[in-house]
Amino acid sequence: MTLRRRGEKATISIQEHMAIDVCPGPIRPIKQISDYFPRFPRGLPPDAGPRAAAPPDAPARPAAASAGRRSPSDCARDDDEDVDQLFGAYGASPGLSPGPSPARPPAKPPEDEPDADGYESDDCTALGTLDFSLLYDQENNALHCTISKAKGLKPMDHNGLADPYVKLHLLPGASKANKLRTKTLRNTLNPTWNETLTYYGITDEDMIRKTLRISVCDEDKFRHNEFIGETRVPLKKLKANHTKTFSICLEKQLPVDKTEDKSLEERGRILISLKYSSQKQGLLVGIVRCAHLAAMDANGYSDPYVKTYLKPDVDKKSKHKTAVKKKTLNPEFNEEFCYEIKHGDLAKKTLEVTVWDYDIGKSNDFIGGVVLGINAKGERLKHWFDCLKNKDKRIERWHTLTNELPGAVLSD
């Protein structure tokens, strides 16, 4: 008890107040109230808390030494020993004499916490999911893409909703020529389209090296449309004539490789039919359609038409021309021309097909061409021979347009 003079105001520390409440017996000021809690041992008094029994072989501590005045270093060392014994006593089984403090079990490794940067890669909840299916029709060289629905799309508008649509591109070589898109659905984060978009002129080679890029965007009337998320599917994952269904989380926009091999650049595709008619005694050349044509006009489109020649053309009467299709990169012509010629003479002939962009007031632009005949190679040669071998049978094949056409006059 601290003595004070008369008239002097009593000063009792908070430690003394706490000691009065929790410590039985004489009041003894302590440094920290936390000393009473073994979980946070800091300078525990030698007589506080339950003591663990000393090991049988441990030498007895002299009473005089413990009763006498000790140096601060001795007190600290004794406190540490008391804390160790205290924890050993609490961990000992009842009825057993606690021996030396057992080694603590290894701490359980903390659970992995999501990395701040890596966690953002899980965009399922942030961007939404997309359900779609793909079918490669090998016989007709068509890729059918059915866009079913999306769920949980990221809100893009002030009302907390979006006006989503889906667009498709074929990589490498993404352009307006191979862009397809669905209709736009207004004010929804869970749109259902159930639309089928079709790419024509897809060959087995395309299925090996091409990738389909599917993007979900938000349409805005008064500013640029906004990107929501995308996914990419290598076409080599598909089996011919088998529908494959996908339900994929949308990802953030991935950069398009600008260093693509220039040899992969294409001028477009053309679907040509050949048939030698015994009745008409002539070759029927059908220009069915074109796909993914190169854009030649400033608006990003072309006004394409097709010309055909059967060479050698001594009389210069073999030229045929289709109608012009305005502002399109995927025109359908469905026109057929007849060249009167004996079947035996076809082996000496070459069919040249060129695609042009029509311009008013200036020269028309050459888009691309293809040559079928005895001097051709690959699919072009095979197509020509199949026509000669199979009279009165119409044979359709897709062909890739090239930048240069040997022997052709590149003018209209």
Side-chain angles (χ1 to χ4, degrees):
M1 178 71 69
T2 304
L3 299 178
R4 59 186 176 88
R5 298 177 183 178
R6 180 174 297 180
E8 184 179 359
K9 184 177 288 188
T11 58
I12 302 177
S13 65
I14 186 64
Q15 288 87 353
E16 290 178 327
H17 277 293
M18 297 301 293
I20 292 172
D21 292 336
V22 301
C23 179
I27 299 175
R28 184 174 300 170
I30 57 177
K31 293 183 178 181
Q32 296 288 341
I33 192 62
S34 59
D35 291 339
Y36 278 96
F37 301 96
R39 184 176 297 176
F40 306 103
R42 295 176 62 184
L44 194 68
D47 55 349
R51 296 290 186 105
D57 55 347
R61 183 181 297 178
S66 61
R69 190 172 185 84
R70 294 173 294 175
S71 65
S73 60
D74 292 337
C75 292
R77 183 166 53 254
D78 290 344
D79 289 344
D80 292 340
E81 293 175 359
D82 290 336
V83 171
D84 293 338
Q85 292 180 4
L86 179 63
F87 278 104
Y90 276 107
S93 301
L96 296 177
S97 298
S101 299
R104 294 186 184 181
K108 185 179 180 180
E111 297 182 359
D112 294 336
E113 296 182 358
D115 182 66
D117 295 332
Y119 186 74
E120 293 180 356
S121 63
D122 184 8
D123 293 325
C124 288
T125 56
L127 302 179
T129 60
L130 181 66
D131 295 349
F132 61 96
S133 62
L134 301 177
L135 169 63
Y136 174 49
D137 183 355
Q138 190 175 32
E139 181 179 356
N140 297 312
N141 295 104
L143 177 64
H144 303 287
C145 312
T146 300
I147 307 300
S148 301
K149 62 182 178 179
K151 294 184 291 185
L153 294 180
K154 179 182 177 181
M156 304 299 291
D157 299 335
H158 295 298
N159 59 3
L161 300 173
D163 302 321
Y165 67 92
V166 177
K167 64 179 180 179
L168 310 179
H169 284 104
L170 283 176
L171 303 177
S175 65
K176 284 187 178 181
N178 60 42
K179 171 187 172 183
L180 300 176
R181 62 162 287 175
T182 67
K183 62 185 177 182
T184 301
L185 300 181
R186 303 291 177 184
N187 298 322
T188 178
L189 299 179
N190 300 283
T192 300
W193 290 282
N194 289 327
E195 283 190 52
T196 298
L197 308 175
T198 302
Y199 281 104
Y200 295 99
I202 301 299
T203 63
D204 291 341
E205 181 184 357
D206 293 328
M207 297 300 295
I208 295 175
R209 66 182 183 89
K210 292 278 189 179
T211 296
L212 179 65
R213 176 186 181 187
I214 305 177
S215 306
V216 181
C217 301
D218 171 60
E219 184 177 291
D220 284 321
K221 292 183 178 180
F222 305 107
R223 55 180 180 173
H224 293 295
N225 296 341
E226 296 180 291
F227 175 86
I228 297 178
E230 72 169 37
T231 186
R232 299 186 184 185
V233 181
L235 297 186
K236 61 184 178 181
K237 290 186 176 181
L238 305 180
K239 293 182 179 180
N241 305 316
H242 284 78
T243 301
K244 186 169 184 178
T245 303
F246 299 84
S247 182
I248 297 181
C249 293
L250 296 175
E251 302 177 67
K252 295 179 180 179
Q253 192 165 16
L254 301 174
V256 178
D257 188 6
K258 300 297 184 180
T259 61
E260 294 172 354
D261 187 358
K262 297 302 180 181
S263 64
L264 298 179
E265 290 185 353
E266 297 175 356
R267 308 294 290 180
R269 310 282 178 84
I270 185 168
L271 179 59
I272 301 173
S273 68
L274 297 179
K275 173 185 175 182
Y276 185 82
S277 173
S278 301
Q279 181 180 359
K280 295 184 179 182
Q281 289 293 306
L283 176 67
L284 301 180
V285 178
I287 305 300
V288 183
R289 67 189 305 160
C290 292
H292 322 324
L293 293 180
M296 307 302 291
D297 296 338
N299 59 8
Y301 294 96
S302 294
D303 301 320
Y305 67 95
V306 179
K307 295 191 301 180
T308 64
Y309 294 90
L310 190 62
K311 295 187 174 182
D313 183 18
V314 179
D315 299 330
K316 298 187 181 297
K317 294 182 179 180
S318 70
K319 174 183 173 181
H320 288 283
K321 185 165 66 173
T322 69
V324 176
K325 301 296 181 180
K326 293 290 186 179
K327 197 180 178 182
T328 178
L329 300 176
N330 298 279
E332 292 188 44
F333 298 100
N334 293 317
E335 297 188 35
E336 189 173 72
F337 311 119
C338 180
Y339 291 99
E340 294 182 4
I341 187 174
K342 295 180 180 180
H343 182 267
D345 294 337
L346 278 180
K348 304 173 185 178
K349 294 290 185 176
T350 298
L351 179 67
E352 293 183 359
V353 181
T354 55
V355 183
W356 298 78
D357 169 53
Y358 177 75
D359 288 321
I360 300 177
K362 60 179 182 178
S363 298
N364 297 329
D365 298 319
F366 173 71
I367 296 178
V370 63
V371 177
L372 305 179
I374 57 174
N375 296 322
K377 296 180 180 179
E379 285 295 321
R380 294 168 293 171
L381 178 61
K382 187 175 185 298
H383 192 187
W384 189 254
F385 277 150
D386 287 346
C387 172
L388 298 182
K389 292 178 182 178
N390 301 279
K391 287 184 180 181
D392 300 314
K393 181 179 180 181
R394 176 177 171 150
I395 301 175
E396 284 188 357
R397 295 281 169 80
W398 281 95
H399 298 284
T400 301
L401 300 174
T402 58
N403 295 327
E404 297 181 0
L405 187 56
V409 178
L410 300 185
S411 62
D412 192 11

